[in-house]
Amino acid sequence: MYFWVWIMASYIQLLPDHVANQIAAGEVIQRPASAVKELLENAVDAGARNIQLIVKDGGRTLIQVIDNGSGMDEFDARLCFARHATSKLRQADDLWSLRTMGFRGEALASIAAVAQVEMRTRRKDDETGCLIEIEGSEITRQEATACQQGTSIAVRNLFYNVPARRNFLKSNQVETRHIFDEFYRVALAFPEIAFSLVSQGDEVHRLMPGSFKQRIVAIYGQSWNEKIIQVNEENTSIKITGFIGKPDFTRKTRGEQFFFINNRFIKSTYLHHAVQMGYQDFIPAGDHPIYFIRFDVPPASIDINIHPTKTEIKFEDDRTAYGILLSSIRKALGAFALSPSLDFEAELQFVPLPSRSTEIKAPEIKVDPTYNPFDPPKPAGTSFQMNKIRWEELEGRNEPEQLSVLPAESEHAEKSLPWLLHGTYICSQVKSGLMLIDLQGARERILYERFCTRTQQQGASQQLLFPTLVELSKADYALFGEIEDELQALGFDYEPFGDSTLKITGVPAEALNADARKTIEQILENYRNESGNQHLSNKEKIAKSLAKIGARYSDRFPGTEQMLIIIDKLFACEAGNSSPSGRNIIQIIPMDELATRFAK
Ligand code: ADP
Ligand code: MG
């Protein structure tokens, strides 16, 4: 009996504090952006009116937050790094009247466990401030110092003592993007506080105190003034305010979508659904609205305690929240006087007009306005005659040079002309039955493979008659920098035009019919959404969105000879049976399957 107790006692040991802290830190600090969030929120809780964020190398080497808030005395300056040290919560009941962002007292302890931290802090009425250095949970220096009122915390070499975490981090660009996202969430939640953001020594944002709308516009660009409309709704327990995108400014993937409850950014699929329902009759299915929506509720009516990183929140009465949100969205869109019968196809014919501020230069390169990437190639010296090619010619000796005979595997040996079903599927007879080809998918595939193999020397750019100005958010401008080389190789020509604005002067010929601004925005949006995809190169990611755009803006009703070319090119593709986004392109309905439909 004693023997066993002895054995067990020798196996079970209490973890040393710094190890326990490191393990606990993993929950709170997953990546540099989590530390950014905690430090910014502490500054807000300290009543700061001005908060600066400085980062280097995606937050790996440096994250520094400087605030002009309350500051701490030397006793608190030491204590704040202890686990469960918080000034914001005294007893469990306080959780229900919480107005601060933090309350767990875990953030600073966690950060100090996995980084080298230097803090300077001074309260308004104290003559001297306090400097503390702490590294892997050990205080290595503490002394009096002269410093400004408020607190500055510099976090260096995050995860220096947790190699597993460090290796798990993504590229600096990806980590920087996460940091920007956290910065936006806090800056949007508190428009009355001034914020600035410096990354790699460049000041990316300087946000002045202002209204919620001014803050949105300051972050995303002046043009957003025109993109958003106001939401306003109130009942006895919930107040909803904010802005939502006009129906013609939707995204193809989820982009700027923000809910704030009592100034806290939250995610909620349930509330998101309410917004979607509100937009239902106003935007095409599959489009994603932009929204910035704030809820003000009595703190006791929400439970923010259900998730360790606190981005999920439970409403006491979430059905009421859903209902009032839905009606606020419908009301706002209705007031914007948009009838549900909008003709979304009209966009296809949209011809971009030069904006007044656009400088108009005489184009130096002739543009062929009839250019269509899916047109049959024109034999030199002759003009191509419509409806001239017959299937027989394809197989016969007089076959036009560039139209190769379809590979045998295509089964396309039977003589029949393809026809178009509802502008969507090319139908054609094959040996075993009926072949259906998805038109959009086929074009995407053909363009995708063409873009992927394109190199700069091929001069695929068409100069725009009217250069288009594209104003990007700072984050998108940085993103643009990441893929500049690929965009140029694909045929984009542009010049920088002031602060985070581009003047697009040329686009790939295949995207000439599309609005250049939307093309760039869409490429950036898709690129951002594919950032985690390790299987595709940057060029492939861009080619994917560009192919989609090029295909969408091609002739909706190709003629017979164009369809033949499409079939031909599709079968010459490496992966002709699936679109770049993985949809099936070709379906064959066998004769016997058809026969069963006619069976008695
Ligand atoms: P929490 O925010 O959950 O209380 P933290 O670990 O983030 O826990 O911070 C611990 C305590 O340190 C806070 O409760 C606060 O009293 C103090 N503190 C942290 N950051 C600041 C700051 N920038 N200015 C003043 N006090 C701060
Ligand atoms: Mg905190």
Side-chain angles (χ1 to χ4, degrees):
M1 171 73 188
Y2 279 110
F3 173 76
W4 284 112
V5 170
W6 179 78
I7 292 262
M8 287 174 69
S10 75
Y11 275 109
I12 299 176
Q13 303 205 338
L14 284 176
L15 287 174
D17 267 0
H18 71 277
V19 179
N21 278 343
Q22 236 182 55
I23 293 170
E27 227 188 85
V28 188
I29 308 297
Q30 283 125 8
R31 56 180 356 144
S34 342
V36 165
K37 169 179 188 283
E38 296 296 339
L39 296 176
L40 290 176
E41 289 185 351
N42 279 348
V44 169
D45 283 345
R49 305 323 292 164
N50 193 330
I51 300 174
Q52 283 169 272
L53 168 64
I54 301 166
V55 293
K56 267 195 201 134
D57 305 321
R60 261 174 239 260
T61 29
L62 176 72
I63 299 167
Q64 183 170 16
V65 171
I66 305 169
D67 70 53
N68 65 352
S70 62
M72 285 175 264
D73 64 16
E74 57 187 304
F75 179 74
D76 280 351
R78 210 178 161 93
L79 189 62
C80 70
F81 290 105
R83 189 155 298 276
H84 306 304
T86 177
S87 55
K88 301 166 194 172
L89 204 62
R90 302 269 172 227
Q91 53 206 35
D93 271 357
D94 293 350
L95 260 181
W96 302 104
S97 52
L98 213 61
R99 281 282 175 193
T100 52
M101 305 300 290
F103 59 87
R104 291 163 184 267
E106 282 181 316
L108 289 183
S110 299
I111 293 171
V114 294
Q116 295 151 349
V117 179
E118 181 193 293
M119 179 170 87
R120 289 164 201 272
T121 183
R122 182 171 73 81
R123 294 186 305 178
K124 191 168 164 226
D125 297 326
D126 290 349
E127 265 173 27
T128 50
C130 170
L131 163 72
I132 285 201
E133 284 178 11
I134 175 166
E135 176 173 337
S137 303
E138 299 278 333
I139 293 186
T140 52
R141 189 172 164 198
Q142 174 166 13
E143 61 195 42
T145 184
C147 61
Q148 341 170 353
Q149 183 213 324
T151 305
S152 156
I153 300 187
V155 177
R156 294 201 171 81
N157 305 322
L158 190 66
F159 301 133
Y160 78 101
N161 53 355
V162 199
R165 273 274 166 201
R166 208 172 48 228
N167 297 337
F168 178 75
L169 294 180
K170 299 274 171 16
S171 69
N172 285 355
Q173 284 151 347
V174 172
E175 295 302 334
T176 304
R177 213 176 303 149
H178 284 291
I179 289 175
F180 277 31
D181 284 344
E182 291 297 351
F183 176 81
Y184 293 149
R185 289 169 182 177
V186 180
L188 284 166
F190 298 95
E192 67 282 8
I193 299 176
F195 284 90
S196 72
L197 166 57
V198 173
S199 175
Q200 297 306 96
D202 289 337
E203 184 173 77
V204 185
H205 282 292
R206 175 184 290 256
L207 307 171
M208 296 302 158
S211 68
F212 190 33
K213 187 170 188 186
Q214 285 166 336
R215 181 55 50 95
I216 295 171
V217 170
I219 292 177
Y220 294 102
Q222 208 56 37
S223 64
W224 279 58
N225 253 324
E226 311 304 320
K227 291 188 182 179
I228 51 180
I229 51 181
Q230 197 167 9
V231 204
N232 231 327
E233 192 81 49
E234 195 167 354
N235 75 5
T236 47
S237 58
I238 301 181
K239 184 173 166 203
I240 293 180
T241 51
F243 294 87
I244 59 174
K246 290 180 183 171
D248 39 353
F249 289 109
T250 55
R251 297 277 191 187
K252 289 291 167 207
T253 52
R254 289 177 73 162
E256 293 78 8
Q257 302 186 331
F258 296 87
F259 289 125
F260 301 93
I261 299 191
N262 295 354
N263 297 328
R264 191 185 294 277
F265 169 81
I266 61 132
K267 288 180 183 156
S268 162
T269 37
Y270 185 63
L271 294 177
H272 173 75
H273 188 262
V275 178
Q276 270 182 317
M277 293 306 285
Y279 268 94
Q280 202 177 33
D281 294 331
F282 294 90
I283 62 174
D287 276 16
H288 298 272
I290 289 164
Y291 58 80
F292 303 85
I293 293 172
R294 312 171 68 100
F295 294 83
D296 276 305
V297 299
S301 68
I302 48 172
D303 177 3
I304 49 177
N305 202 13
I306 59 168
H307 195 271
T309 49
K310 297 170 285 178
T311 46
E312 281 158 26
I313 282 195
K314 229 177 111 38
F315 270 99
E316 193 181 47
D317 179 2
D318 49 10
R319 288 179 59 184
T320 305
Y322 185 102
I324 173 170
L325 176 59
L326 173 61
S327 83
S328 74
I329 301 283
R330 289 214 174 121
K331 228 159 90 180
L333 291 172
F336 183 61
L338 274 161
S339 76
S341 61
L342 266 183
D343 179 9
F344 292 102
E345 295 299 341
E347 193 200 38
L348 295 174
Q349 274 88 49
F350 178 69
V351 179
L353 289 171
S355 70
R356 242 179 253 167
S357 58
T358 312
E359 182 194 338
I360 301 176
K361 254 210 243 159
E364 284 146 29
I365 297 185
K366 267 198 187 159
V367 177
D368 172 7
T370 63
Y371 178 84
N372 178 334
F374 292 103
D375 274 345
K378 298 172 189 174
T382 58
S383 70
F384 198 84
Q385 297 272 299
M386 292 289 277
N387 296 325
K388 226 182 156 194
I389 299 186
R390 290 278 169 271
W391 191 240
E392 288 89 326
E393 287 174 337
L394 279 182
E395 293 187 312
R397 259 170 268 144
N398 298 339
E399 166 196 339
E401 214 179 327
Q402 310 230 356
L403 284 181
S404 60
V405 179
L406 296 173
E409 318 80 273
S410 78
E411 300 188 61
H412 216 304
E414 301 285 321
K415 291 172 186 173
S416 89
L417 285 173
W419 58 280
L420 193 62
L421 178 64
H422 292 303
T424 309
Y425 302 110
I426 300 174
C427 307
S428 179
Q429 171 179 321
V430 291
K431 223 184 253 164
S432 58
L434 171 66
M435 176 171 71
L436 298 170
I437 295 177
D438 180 72
L439 178 61
Q440 166 84 11
R443 284 171 156 167
E444 272 179 44
R445 167 52 63 186
I446 295 165
L447 286 176
Y448 177 73
E449 295 201 1
R450 187 190 299 177
F451 290 141
C452 285
T453 52
R454 178 168 290 172
T455 57
Q456 206 138 19
Q457 295 79 39
Q458 285 172 309
S461 183
Q462 286 268 338
Q463 299 301 296
L464 292 176
L465 212 46
F466 305 108
T468 307
L469 291 186
V470 184
E471 190 195 344
L472 296 172
S473 68
K474 292 278 167 55
D476 277 356
Y477 196 67
L479 212 58
F480 184 86
E482 281 179 37
I483 51 175
E484 255 183 313
D485 293 348
E486 287 85 358
L487 288 170
Q488 281 169 6
L490 285 169
F492 284 96
D493 279 339
Y494 57 86
E495 317 159 4
F497 192 86
D499 199 19
S500 67
T501 300
L502 297 166
K503 183 163 145 194
I504 308 288
T505 52
V507 296
E510 294 83 353
L512 192 60
N513 293 334
D515 176 349
R517 183 177 58 81
K518 284 190 180 165
T519 304
I520 293 286
E521 285 178 353
Q522 226 153 65
I523 287 174
L524 287 173
E525 194 186 331
N526 292 357
Y527 177 69
R528 190 186 316 118
N529 285 306
E530 295 254 18
S531 65
N533 186 343
Q534 312 274 350
H535 304 294
L536 295 184
S537 68
N538 283 355
K539 190 172 189 187
E540 286 164 335
K541 288 175 191 166
I542 301 165
K544 210 165 136 183
S545 27
L546 199 54
K548 206 175 214 162
I549 295 165
R552 186 156 8 111
Y553 284 89
S554 299
D555 182 7
R556 294 202 61 206
F557 296 98
T560 310
E561 71 292 342
Q562 274 188 27
M563 284 192 272
L564 287 172
I565 304 263
I566 291 171
I567 297 173
D568 190 45
K569 288 193 172 159
L570 182 63
F571 281 108
C573 281
E574 244 170 58
N577 199 19
S578 71
S579 76
S581 39
R583 282 187 302 119
N584 280 335
I585 297 178
I586 304 174
Q587 290 293 318
I588 293 179
I589 305 177
M591 290 305 283
D592 43 2
E593 196 181 310
L594 285 170
T596 59
R597 291 176 171 263
F598 295 96
K600 217 172 152 193

